[in-house]
Each structure stands twice: as C-alpha cells, then as structure tokens.
Amino acid sequence: MAAFKRHTRSSLKLALFATVGIGIGCSLTPAHADDTPPAAPEVLMPASSFAPWGFNLSGRDTAIIPGNNFFEYANGTYLKDLTIPSDMTSYGPFNALAELSRQRVQSILDELSAHPVKTPHSTDEKLGTFYASFMNEKAVEKRGISPLKKDLKTLRSLTDAQSFATLSGSAFTSFTTSPFSLSVSPDSKDPTHYSVYLDQGGLGLPDRDYYLKPQFAEQRKAYQAYITQILTLIRWPEPSKTADAVIAFETKLAEAHWARADMRDPNKTYNPMTVSDLIKTAPGFDWKSWMLAAGLPAEGLEASTIIVQEPSAITGEAAVLASTAPELLRSWQAFHTASNAAGYLPDEFVQASFTFHKVLSGQPALPARWKRGVSATNSAMGMALGKVYVEKFFPAEDRAAMEQLTENLKTAFHTRLQHNSWMTPATRQAALTKLDSLEIQVGYPKKWRDYSGLEVNLKDLYGNVKNGIAFEWAYELSHLGKTVDRDEWDMTPQTVNAYNNPLFNEIVFPAAILQPPFFNAKADAAINYGAIGGVIGHEMTHSFDDEGRQFDEHGRLRDWWTKKDTERFQKLAARLGAQYDAFEVLPGVHVNGKLTMGENIADLGGLTLGLDAYHASLNGEKAPVIDGLTGDQRVFLGWAQVWRQKLRENTVKSLVVVDPHSPPEARVNLPMHNIDAWYKAWNVKKGDALYLAPSQRVKIW
C-alpha cells in the first residue's frame, strides 16, 4: 500500500535503519491538513543542548547506573521529556535528519514548481510539475474518482483464471495488485548478470502473523472495517460480506507464506527453475499470461529461468487461487486497486485509509500535504532530486572526511580479522580478501538516472503516479540481458540511512546521513568514531554476518568457509541470538533473535570496530578527558546517542514482527555488554543488570 509499488528485490540490501510510518506512506492528506512546516529538527533536538564536542549531556539520566541500563543512562532524560510529533510513529536522530532532508527537498520543489524552467520537458520541469500536481488538492477533489473508474471498469471484466492473471500482471504498471511479486536483480550466484526473481505476496496486512496470531485481532478488525469502507466508496456490492471473504482469502494466502526469519537464508531462497517447471510445480495459476502482462519477453518465455524465493509458498498460493471463485478475486482486486490509489483520490478515501493505518502504527495524525508531496515526488524521481540535493546541501569536504573515516574503519577491520582467534588460516585469508575487495561509496552515485521517458501532466496527479509506477518497472525490466551496472544505488542521496549490498560487495552512505549526531567535523573524534564510525563498521560487518558471510569477494553466493569455521560461527551467532530472544520490548513481547540476527551481529561488530579505529587514531597518545569523560566513554556515548529514539507502542508491536532490526534499547545495551572495554570504561561489576561473565560475552568479529 505504499505510495509507489517498488518491485526491486531488496531482501539482501542490508540497511542500517528501517524507516517507519503510516502503511500507505506519505501519500495521504487529512481533511484539514496544516500545511505549515513543523518545527525544524534542531528545535526538537536543539543544537544548543549539545556540548561543543558533540554529545547532549543534558539528555542523560545520571540517576541510572550505566551497568544496569546504558541506554537509559545515556538517553533517559531526553526521551522522558520527548513527545513524538503527531505525524510520526517514532522520533530520534534518524527522524530529525529525515525531517531536515524533507524540508530541504521541499525548498527545491517549491522553487521548481513556482518558477518555470527555461527548458520545456526537462527533468527540472518534471520535478516541479509532479510536485505541483500533488499540491493542487482542489483539482484532486474536483476530479473525484473519475480516474479510478476506468481501472475499475477494466477489472469488472475479470471472469476467469486467465483474465485474473492478466490483470494481476498489470499490477507492475498500475494501481492494481498481484498475489505474487516479480523483480529484476543481479543473480546471487552470478552477480554480473540480472535474473528475474519471484516472491510471495498478496497480503494487505503487514505480515502473515497479522492473520494468524491472536495478538493482532484489533488490527484484523480494523482491516475488515477498512475493506468495507473502501468497497462502499466504490459502490461495490455487499461490501461487509465481501470484506469478510477478502480477509478469509488473504488468511489462506498467509498460511502458505514463509515466515520472515526463514526468508533471510539466501540459499533457501535461491531456487532457479524454468517457467515451464514453475507451471508444473505451482499449478492453478496462469503463469504465462501473468508474466506476459508484466512485460517479460514473450520469446522463449517457458524455457527462460526464474529464481523462485519461497517454493512451497508459491505452490500453496497458486492452489488457493485455483480454488477461489472469480467473483471474489475480482472483489479482492477492486479493494486493493482503490486502496493503492487512495492517496491520490478525494478526501473520503484518504480518511478511510488513515483510520485503518493509524491502528497499525498508533500514529495519531497524518503528515501535512507538502510532506506527502515531497514523498510522492521522491518516489517517482528520487535520483533527479538527489542530484539537486547534493549540489545544494552536501559540501565536498564532508565527502572527503567521510572517505577517510571509512578507510580508517576498513584498516581496523583488517587488523581485527588478522588476529581472529576462532577462524582457520584458509578462511581467515578468504575473509581478508573479501574485505580488501569491499567497495565504499559516499554521498552520491557516480552517475545519475535519465528521466526523459517519464510523462508528467500538471492536471493529472493520478496519472502522474501511475506513470511513475510504470516508469520504474520499465526501468527495472530494461536491465534484462545486460551486464550488471555496479554504479547503481538503491538509496537516494537525500535518504537518511546506509546499506550493504552483498551482491556488489559494497557499502553505501548517502549524503543525508552525514550530519550530526552521526557525523560532525567539529565534534570530538571519539564521538564521531562511536557514531558514524559505528555506522560504518556496522555496514562493513554486514559483509560477514549470517547472510553476508555466504557471499564471496565478487558478490557470488558461494560457500568459502571450512566446515569447522562455519560451525564455530553458527555457535557464536546462536549465543548472540539467545541474548536478543530474552530481551523483552514490551510486557510479553520479545525480540526475534533469528529475524534480527544479521543486524545484531552488525551492531556488535560496528561498535567494536568504531572503538578500535578510535584507538588507532590516537597514534599511541593518551586519549584526552573531556567534561570528566574518557575517550572510551565518549565512544560508547556516541553510539548510544545515535539510537536516542522513542517509538509508539503499536509501532513497536509491528516492528518486532516485520523489522530485522532490534529496538533502540537493545541496539545499545546488548552489543555493549559483550565488549570488554565497556566494562572497564564504566566500571561495570558483577551484580549490575547488564553484567555478563567474560565467558558469556560473545565475540564474533
């Protein structure tokens, strides 16, 4: 239900942070939105509260013993006094910088939409026109649901399995939906070439658990009400009865789905087969009509190879579809088509969608319309915006400083690997080779996207968004048959995040994250090494977590480990996972150590590497003491400040199910209590709540 349906295969792109918001993204508007910009991020996290060396001392709760809860010690007072903005599901440094990035992008779009550019049909003109079409709420209301009626008329012709498959295949270029997902991505076992990937899909709730577990009864009830309301708005027959049938249908799909934790195994999700074999393996669905409608090449289709990610789920879903009446499939499509388009329709659709999604997240208010306009334009033309963004807001000296930091972290990791005590020499050497081959990209990509083929109309928001969906899918399909372009990015420069792409053996740091409190050229080195240094180390460690370690220096899914080393790694990872399984986020709600394993290993490795790199930067000199705090203490505070975040309760409940990242408190406390230097720095003793005996501390990288 996102503003734009992206079909890229992203499960292997290991990001630092999962951005959370209303499920329909920023595509919606409340009935009486306040379009005035909110308080700037520095008001919510005032720069004046930071010491000159880069840490917010007043945010600590010094009544807390560090060894009992370091997260609360470092951040407790700030979080106690913090009220999450009403249009957000959480608040912390990521949110503050994301808000700053939105405001900067808004300033770009306001300028482009207010002043006609010199070159008609240029990228700048399209950016301004797209944004202006979103901001013209009166025009959207005046058009009503007339743009949707054409799509609804098309799906009313759905009468049999073939017409359903054909219509579902058009989901990749429209607002309709599909029970399966397709994507084009570098092949995991030959990352120099692209392959087509097939993935499970078809659910309107965030995850299979929402259908199958009793703790989500409230969310299922809200979903039933939402389906009923949407079907009522489009004048679909028997909306309430149909809503019950839609949920029952999606529940059957959910029963076939794999759990998210199982989908993290790159070998289990790599199952190549010809389309002909897929037809035999998963009968009951017209695969050929679906793929042709999606735009896959017709010539030699049945003999072509596709990578099936969850074979049993695909087979199970096909069986469910085969036993479902066309009338119900038509109703399912009608609901999802209108729901996917809700943000670009009159306000009654907007409000219906918001009423449902606020139950999922607990977020009480929708973002102002300008925010949603920024988000929609970002989705359609993100790299075009990124080019303007870096020209205006990313100094060259910041890029140079960051590149030096990454090299320092890489050197620290090299030293740590050389002295690894549990690996055999052969595996250790292979690991060093992979690290030496790791590519690091900072700020922005080496080349920019071409948007000349995207059509934008000032008076047609619905059409603009639809064109954007189709443009993205055509771009993805255009990769087939070509050599993989390793210079492409999976995040825009204005994104506050970072990621590791194991298929490219690279890590990427967009420009927008390279700001305080993550990176501050004027801050104390210890704070920078604990904050952005920990982030850099986190992304590097992803190359050696439980997923990333299965890819070699060329990005190929290949076992380069000895059997003994694999067994040792898995035992260490299992011990770390058990620590997270025991972590209680809310009463009775625990972290899923298997789902979050990769991020937990990366957090532990990242903080360890940040500390090592800081020590190396001292060149044998003694670290200065600042405001009574030692260098090591400041490194740990720098990491803790990065995760100074508060979340709404329903958001927490959702993230525990769908997010491979652990909650903020766990991301601070659990890595630290496995690091010997933390005990010495903060005088942590036996009897403190976070104390682990030396033999219980997990050291992987």
Side-chain angles (χ1 to χ4, degrees), residues 399-413:
R399 192 183 201 199
M402 180 66 178
E403 287 173 339
Q404 183 58 56
L405 269 174
T406 59
E407 288 303 317
N408 294 349
L409 266 293
K410 194 172 182 179
T411 299
F413 203 172

Side-chain angles (χ1 to χ4, degrees), residues 164-359:
F164 173 73
T166 299
L167 183 68
S168 297
S170 72
F172 302 95
T173 58
S174 68
F175 287 113
T176 53
T177 196
S178 173
F180 307 100
S181 177
L182 275 179
S183 61
V184 177
S185 174
D187 191 293
S188 295
K189 293 196 175 181
D190 181 13
T192 63
H193 293 88
Y194 293 99
S195 287
V196 177
Y197 282 77
L198 174 66
D199 197 4
Q200 64 190 22
L203 305 184
L205 287 167
D207 186 79
R208 68 193 292 271
D209 284 4
Y210 278 74
Y211 297 86
L212 308 179
K213 294 190 174 181
Q215 62 261 41
F216 295 110
E218 177 190 4
Q219 287 82 354
R220 288 193 295 273
K221 183 179 178 181
Y223 188 42
Q224 194 277 344
Y226 174 51
I227 298 172
T228 300
Q229 192 170 3
I230 288 292
L231 293 177
T232 300
L233 288 171
I234 63 173
R235 298 176 179 84
W236 205 259
E238 300 184 288
S240 181
K241 181 179 178 181
T242 302
D244 290 338
V246 167
I247 290 180
F249 167 66
E250 290 188 4
T251 299
K252 291 179 182 178
L253 295 180
E255 289 169 346
H257 272 218
W258 284 19
R260 284 179 186 260
D262 294 329
M263 293 163 61
R264 293 189 63 256
D265 188 324
N267 278 297
K268 285 183 180 179
T269 56
Y270 187 86
N271 304 281
M273 62 178 72
T274 64
V275 172
S276 178
D277 287 338
L278 172 66
I279 293 170
K280 297 173 185 176
T281 302
F285 184 69
D286 189 342
W287 292 105
K288 191 172 181 180
S289 293
W290 182 70
M291 291 180 183
L292 289 174
L296 294 186
E299 186 177 353
L301 177 62
E302 290 192 33
S304 63
T305 298
I306 191 168
I307 312 298
V308 180
Q309 295 200 261
E310 307 93 0
S312 63
I314 301 302
T315 299
E317 282 197 75
V320 172
L321 292 167
S323 64
T324 303
E327 293 79 13
L328 177 54
L329 295 176
R330 186 164 57 238
S331 298
W332 177 76
Q333 276 285 8
F335 158 67
H336 280 291
T337 299
S339 178
N340 289 336
Y344 318 104
L345 293 173
D347 187 66
E348 55 189 351
F349 285 85
V350 170
Q351 295 304 324
S353 194
F354 173 59
T355 299
F356 163 55
H357 285 89
K358 70 180 180 181
V359 174

Side-chain angles (χ1 to χ4, degrees), residues 381-449:
M381 303 180 69
M383 282 300 176
L385 274 171
K387 186 174 186 294
V388 184
Y389 180 93
V390 297
E391 289 170 355
K392 286 180 172 287
F393 302 113
F394 188 53
E397 56 267 26
D398 282 6
R399 192 183 201 199
M402 180 66 178
E403 287 173 339
Q404 183 58 56
L405 269 174
T406 59
E407 288 303 317
N408 294 349
L409 266 293
K410 194 172 182 179
T411 299
F413 203 172
H414 196 280
T415 300
R416 183 161 283 274
L417 282 176
Q418 285 179 316
H419 295 90
N420 182 289
S421 62
W422 56 267
M423 298 181 85
T424 58
T427 306
R428 185 188 303 116
Q429 184 54 53
L432 287 166
T433 299
K434 181 176 182 179
L435 177 65
D436 291 341
S437 302
L438 181 70
E439 186 174 354
I440 302 167
Q441 297 204 42
V442 174
Y444 49 89
K446 296 175 183 177
K447 60 183 180 181
W448 299 101
R449 283 274 302 272

Side-chain angles (χ1 to χ4, degrees), residues 413-547:
F413 203 172
H414 196 280
T415 300
R416 183 161 283 274
L417 282 176
Q418 285 179 316
H419 295 90
N420 182 289
S421 62
W422 56 267
M423 298 181 85
T424 58
T427 306
R428 185 188 303 116
Q429 184 54 53
L432 287 166
T433 299
K434 181 176 182 179
L435 177 65
D436 291 341
S437 302
L438 181 70
E439 186 174 354
I440 302 167
Q441 297 204 42
V442 174
Y444 49 89
K446 296 175 183 177
K447 60 183 180 181
W448 299 101
R449 283 274 302 272
D450 176 12
Y451 289 90
S452 59
L454 176 63
E455 294 185 11
V456 181
N457 186 325
L458 182 62
K459 299 179 180 180
D460 188 8
L461 171 61
Y462 186 97
N464 290 341
V465 177
K466 196 172 181 179
N467 289 346
I469 295 169
F471 181 80
E472 281 299 305
W473 180 237
Y475 179 72
E476 197 163 333
L477 286 178
S478 72
H479 291 78
L480 288 174
K482 297 179 181 177
T483 302
V484 167
D485 184 354
R486 293 177 57 89
D487 291 330
E488 284 193 333
W489 277 31
D490 292 304
M491 286 180 182
T492 64
Q494 62 271 29
T495 301
V496 183
N497 216 328
Y499 70 91
N500 178 301
N501 184 350
L503 297 171
F504 289 1
N505 192 27
E506 73 171 3
I507 55 177
V508 175
F509 302 95
I513 197 174
L514 305 179
Q515 302 175 83
F518 294 93
F519 172 68
N520 183 354
K522 298 178 181 179
D524 164 54
I527 292 295
N528 273 333
Y529 276 105
I532 198 64
V535 169
I536 296 167
H538 171 102
E539 297 304 340
M540 286 183 177
T541 305
H542 268 314
S543 293
F544 302 91
D545 68 14
D546 62 321
E547 283 186 276

